[in-house]
Amino acid sequence: MYKLPDLEYDYNALGKYISGDIMHLHHDNHHQTYVNKLNEALDQVPELKERELVDLLANLDSVPESVRAAVRNQGGGHYNHSQFWKWLTPTGNGEPTGQLKEALVKKYGSFQDFVDEFSARSLAVFGSGWCWLLPDLSIATTPNQDVPLEIGEPILGLDVWEHAYYLDYKYNRGDYVKAWWNVVNWPEVERRYLSSAS
Ligand code: MN3
């Protein structure tokens, strides 16, 4: 039985960049719905409850067809949002440090070049989806709640569904993406980067 994880900060803590209204709606309603519907699907095939969610998502072919779409969409929604809250922090300092920063600069030329590339890819997602930073520091995008797990779990992800920004930014996804950089939890991204390399 999956449960909605608590936020590790106050709903209003990111307010300057992402409002408390959005955080309540996104966490308490959207994410809770993914959790509820995932649990309903798994009740139909209880043996799937013994496997890790990330294993199901990485091996959707092994999930019975009767619940495959639900696991993909609702399970993906639960997995993605559970990470997304941890990738946000009210105490973001705007830039990574240490080995992650060095590696990003090596791959993209500068941290700003990485930011520009990731932002452009986020803006180019048509409709609902996500933009990801993968363990090899490549950038990927997916539609809906799909998760790119081919080379390991993403180390950073940005939700570009309209529900993530419309209350604050209307149709201006670019303003949302620009604001989001201010609340990225770089220590958490670096922790994931280092543990994916080991
Ligand atoms: Mn969302």
Side-chain angles (χ1 to χ4, degrees):
M1 178 95 163
Y2 287 97
K3 278 192 190 153
L4 183 69
D6 289 332
L7 295 182
E8 290 166 8
Y9 40 81
D10 191 83
Y11 284 90
N12 294 307
L14 314 174
K16 194 175 162 194
Y17 304 106
I18 302 175
S19 68
D21 284 350
I22 283 191
M23 293 303 287
H24 270 291
L25 190 72
H26 200 176
H27 178 268
D28 303 353
N29 297 89
H30 287 279
H31 190 170
Q32 181 71 64
T33 303
Y34 295 125
V35 170
N36 295 347
K37 290 189 172 173
L38 172 62
N39 286 327
E40 285 168 24
L42 295 181
D43 281 343
Q44 295 171 43
V45 189
E47 59 267 31
L48 294 178
K49 294 178 186 178
E50 285 154 33
R51 292 170 57 191
E52 296 281 340
L53 180 57
V54 69
D55 171 41
L56 298 177
L57 293 169
N59 300 288
L60 284 165
D61 286 353
S62 70
V63 175
E65 218 176 334
S66 61
V67 294
R68 192 178 300 154
V71 168
R72 178 177 189 166
N73 296 323
Q74 315 300 340
H78 175 47
Y79 173 87
N80 291 341
H81 289 85
S82 298
Q83 321 304 316
F84 186 61
W85 313 127
K86 292 184 188 166
W87 284 320
L88 299 172
T89 176
T91 56
N93 64 359
E95 281 200 21
T97 55
Q99 288 182 50
L100 174 59
K101 175 149 187 198
E102 275 175 39
L104 284 170
V105 169
K106 194 172 171 200
K107 189 168 176 86
Y108 290 92
S110 70
F111 177 66
Q112 189 59 49
D113 285 320
F114 159 70
V115 167
D116 292 346
E117 171 85 17
F118 191 98
S119 299
R121 294 289 300 277
S122 301
L123 288 176
V125 174
F126 181 75
S128 299
W130 290 74
C131 188
W132 306 100
L133 182 62
L134 303 181
D136 66 355
L137 303 185
S138 62
I139 297 166
T141 61
T142 56
N144 306 316
Q145 297 296 351
D146 289 356
V147 199
L149 292 165
E150 293 78 7
I151 59 165
E153 296 184 68
I155 62 172
L156 176 65
L158 173 58
D159 186 346
V160 294
W161 283 56
E162 283 186 345
H163 68 225
Y165 61 89
Y166 212 84
L167 274 185
D168 288 353
Y169 298 99
K170 305 292 192 294
Y171 54 84
N172 295 306
R173 187 189 288 178
D175 291 348
Y176 160 66
V177 173
K178 206 169 160 188
W180 170 77
W181 290 109
N182 292 284
V183 289
V184 172
N185 187 354
W186 286 111
E188 174 65 11
V189 182
E190 180 153 60
R191 187 189 67 71
R192 287 170 189 243
Y193 173 63
L194 294 175
S195 69
S196 72
S198 62

